[in-house]
Amino acid sequence: EVQLVESGGGLVQAGGSLRLSCAASGFTFDDYAIGWFRQAPGKEREGVSCISSSDGSTYYADSVKGRFTISSDNAKNTVDLQMNSLKPEDTAVYYCAAVSGTVGTYSWPILHEYDYWGQGTQVTVSS
């Protein structure tokens, strides 16, 4: 059974940091790219970052570049998202998702490209 389980969400003040983790099981981790997405109330789900487990290529949304860092641990089948300098507009439910194969600069944020999704973890940034 494929599972993606997010953890690490919570409440933090603006300027603070959080580290999200996505634990994957039930598929060959090295053959997939793992993305982080978020959905704020009343807004569409959007891509935040993505990493290819095979070659370590990383991608970021412009809104988080320089503040968020994605990393993977292929031995543990986990992908972390370190979020620094958080802003109130980062408040959302954060989801991780997995897509088979590689992704590219234009394809990584496309939701329907992804095969599996986690249940999400809430991140709230207070002003």
Side-chain angles (χ1 to χ4, degrees):
E1 179 188 7
V2 172
Q3 280 194 317
L4 293 169
V5 180
E6 303 94 338
S7 61
L11 173 63
V12 65
Q13 288 188 331
S17 299
L18 281 175
R19 189 176 184 90
L20 305 183
S21 186
C22 173
S25 62
F27 59 91
T28 305
F29 189 77
D30 292 356
D31 293 341
Y32 282 71
I34 306 296
W36 280 98
F37 294 78
R38 66 186 181 187
Q39 188 165 18
K43 294 188 177 182
E44 294 186 351
R45 194 171 297 189
E46 63 176 2
V48 174
S49 184
C50 183
I51 186 167
S52 286
S53 301
S54 59
D55 64 4
S57 298
T58 58
Y59 306 89
Y60 296 93
D62 288 343
S63 59
V64 306
K65 278 181 182 175
R67 300 189 298 123
F68 290 12
T69 302
I70 192 169
S71 61
S72 68
D73 185 333
N74 287 24
K76 296 182 179 179
N77 287 7
T78 57
V79 172
D80 289 354
L81 185 69
Q82 178 66 43
M83 306 187 296
N84 298 329
S85 303
L86 283 162
K87 305 175 182 179
E89 50 263 45
D90 294 318
T91 294
V93 177
Y94 283 70
Y95 301 88
C96 65
V99 55
S100 178
T102 59
V103 294
T105 302
Y106 300 105
S107 65
W108 76 265
I110 301 175
L111 274 66
H112 69 250
E113 293 282 326
Y114 288 77
D115 303 304
Y116 309 113
W117 289 83
Q119 293 301 304
T121 185
Q122 176 71 46
V123 171
T124 303
V125 184
S126 63
S127 57

